[in-house]
Amino acid sequence: QSLDVPGMLRQEHLSPGGRLCNASAPFPPRATPRIFNLTVEWRKRCEAPKDHPEGAAPYETRNWCWAWMKYEGCLWTHGHWSWWEAQERLAQQGRAPDPHVLAFHPIRDPQLCERPVLGNRGLFTQAEDLVARNWVVENVAVYVLNLPSDVERWERMAMHLKLLGLTAERVFGVDLTEAGALQQVREEDLIPPTYDVKKAEHAATADKMGGITGTVGVASAHFRALDHAYEKKGHKPLALILEDDTELVDDFAIRLWRLLSEVPCDWAAISLKSRCAFGECVTPHLTRVHPDGNEPAHRCHHGVNYGFYAMLYRSSSLDLVRRKLRETVWHESRPHCLDIDVALASVSEEVPYYAVPAVQQPGFLHEGSQGSARYTKNSIRLSEVPALTAH
């Protein structure tokens, strides 16, 4: 007898199969940038508000109603509200149109996947759980990004993964506040030798973005992990890259099995938790990521699809992902593209990128309470960090 659980099917009806996807699912349309269709009245109101969210940079024709939705309705709530709920609340403050009259719809077909209940624990037997755990061990290579100095975080992460029956390789993160660190990542070709740090800092300051030292370090670390996974791509068909403040849920294996039984077969990358998701629901647990056409390309369509906490890649697609990210991230005149999660979303026209909306709680993972050092490191100018000197 099948059990009716929203968005979940019984294990015997699901299998990722040899293609690691749902072979019967149609491919979604091409992910082109999408712009909200506002009335003349609301366009005027949204482009000339009385106040702006703190930290949001002004530029000509910016849709401040949308900016308020992203800041107050998503970033400040950690993505736990649906976009509809966020717009309703902003409408009550006069900062956005009433969604019953003019809905923005950052996620198309939201009734399919933008529902908190879909993050609930599903039903499964011990036998089903064992099958899923064995399948993950056989098919998924796990890598954890962790700074060399954060031994305690690494040990905690490794212990938790062991409880789930998983082992991981430690990939060292990048702290660009250390003397000589920039030289090292250049030597590894994680940052191109031609990338002009001072020019990038100047552009970031002009765009009211702030410092970039921590952000460049995070991007460099993810490139290191992607390179490492690419070198080992023949070992397992899937690669999972985790940040070290991520805690996978105890039924992670069966969730992942079921997710890959949903996803269309064109997929190259999946974010297992994406805040401020922008795109289209294509299955009960997945959006097809789209670039946000309401934000200009020179800002990397910034402000949506945040989160590289747990990234799943097809090993066969790693070269495409690395190449497109490298082309996008290292542009001095576009410092917003240094946010590597934003950068991948911005090229989702070319990389088939899917994401689990963060509104699904708890979903695949919990974010740790240790916090990120990125913003502290951003207060230090990268161009002023000393290089190593020969003795």
Side-chain angles (χ1 to χ4, degrees):
Q1 181 180 1
S2 63
L3 300 176
D4 186 14
V5 180
M8 288 290 197
L9 299 175
R10 292 291 285 170
Q11 179 81 7
E12 57 263 27
H13 299 306
L14 293 169
S15 172
R19 296 176 66 183
L20 306 170
C21 59
N22 181 356
S24 65
F27 291 176
R30 182 179 174 87
T32 54
R34 179 162 47 89
I35 300 174
F36 301 139
N37 187 19
L38 301 182
T39 64
V40 173
E41 177 189 358
W42 268 106
R43 182 168 299 281
K44 289 180 179 178
R45 291 178 64 176
C46 289
E47 290 180 3
K50 296 179 180 178
D51 57 353
H52 301 164
E54 184 179 354
Y59 58 84
E60 189 176 359
T61 71
R62 180 161 199 179
N63 181 342
W64 288 103
C65 300
W66 177 222
W68 272 111
M69 276 182 64
K70 289 185 290 185
Y71 275 78
E72 187 168 311
C74 179
L75 293 176
W76 298 345
T77 63
H78 302 283
H80 293 168
W81 293 353
S82 70
W83 283 122
W84 183 276
E85 182 179 7
Q87 188 172 345
E88 275 192 319
R89 292 175 184 244
L90 268 297
Q92 292 169 8
Q93 302 171 24
R95 289 174 168 153
D98 184 337
H100 296 88
V101 178
L102 182 62
F104 281 176
H105 290 310
I107 297 179
R108 285 177 171 166
D109 296 325
Q111 69 282 356
L112 178 59
C113 74
E114 197 189 14
R115 295 190 290 156
V117 68
L118 296 173
N120 290 348
R121 184 183 180 91
L123 301 180
F124 54 88
T125 66
Q126 284 187 327
E128 291 166 351
D129 186 41
L130 181 60
V131 168
R133 285 174 181 253
N134 288 338
W135 177 87
V136 170
V137 169
E138 292 172 4
N139 289 279
V140 184
V142 183
Y143 306 95
V144 174
L145 273 173
N146 171 258
L147 288 170
S149 58
D150 284 341
V151 177
E152 184 179 343
R153 276 197 186 193
W154 162 246
E155 291 177 345
R156 181 170 52 247
M157 188 82 172
M159 179 62 69
H160 180 70
L161 291 172
K162 184 177 180 180
L163 293 175
L164 302 182
L166 300 174
T167 57
E169 287 191 52
R170 185 185 187 191
V171 178
F172 285 145
V174 176
D175 182 357
L176 290 178
T177 65
E178 296 181 352
L182 182 59
Q183 291 170 278
Q184 181 181 343
V185 294
R186 286 195 190 278
E187 289 169 3
E188 285 185 58
D189 200 29
L190 301 179
I191 298 178
T194 56
Y195 186 72
D196 189 327
V197 169
K198 288 186 177 181
K199 186 175 178 181
E201 287 180 327
H202 178 76
T205 299
D207 209 13
K208 295 181 168 46
M209 180 178 160
I212 64 171
T213 303
T215 305
V216 171
V218 170
S220 302
H222 276 279
F223 276 114
R224 177 179 282 166
L226 285 166
D227 288 351
H228 188 70
Y230 178 74
E231 290 171 2
K232 297 196 169 186
K233 65 183 184 298
H235 294 203
K236 294 183 180 180
L238 302 174
L240 177 64
I241 297 176
L242 303 173
E243 294 183 340
D244 66 0
D245 56 349
T246 297
E247 183 177 299
L248 302 180
V249 293
D250 60 4
D251 59 338
F252 173 80
I254 204 155
R255 286 179 186 263
L256 189 63
W257 170 286
R258 288 171 169 168
L259 191 74
L260 290 183
S261 303
E262 293 182 13
V263 65
C265 289
D266 67 334
W267 79 273
I270 301 174
S271 170
L272 297 183
K273 183 173 184 178
S274 182
R275 291 184 182 176
C276 312
F278 191 97
E280 179 178 7
C281 289
V282 293
T283 78
H285 296 92
L286 286 168
T287 63
R288 174 63 167 89
V289 173
H290 293 174
D292 178 8
N294 302 285
E295 297 288 346
H298 72 83
R299 290 176 59 86
C300 219
H301 305 292
H302 198 275
V304 292
N305 297 308
Y306 287 124
F308 256 40
Y309 316 103
M311 289 296 301
L312 185 73
Y313 302 95
R314 279 191 187 273
S315 296
S316 59
S317 298
L318 284 168
D319 187 48
L320 170 68
V321 173
R322 292 188 314 153
R323 180 162 39 87
K324 291 300 178 184
L325 277 175
R326 190 176 175 89
E327 291 170 2
T328 305
V329 170
W330 304 123
H331 273 272
E332 298 94 337
S333 61
R334 296 193 296 167
H336 282 284
C337 290
L338 290 170
D339 284 319
I340 196 165
D341 46 4
V342 169
L344 185 56
S346 76
V347 295
S348 55
E349 288 183 88
E350 302 169 86
V351 177
Y353 180 26
Y354 293 80
V356 178
V359 72
Q360 298 183 12
Q361 289 291 321
F364 284 80
L365 59 96
H366 302 285
E367 297 170 51
S369 58
Q370 301 93 346
S372 172
R374 176 195 309 197
Y375 304 106
T376 301
K377 297 181 191 302
N378 276 345
S379 65
I380 300 170
R381 290 186 65 83
L382 181 55
S383 58
E384 296 175 1
V385 176
L388 284 178
T389 54
H391 294 286

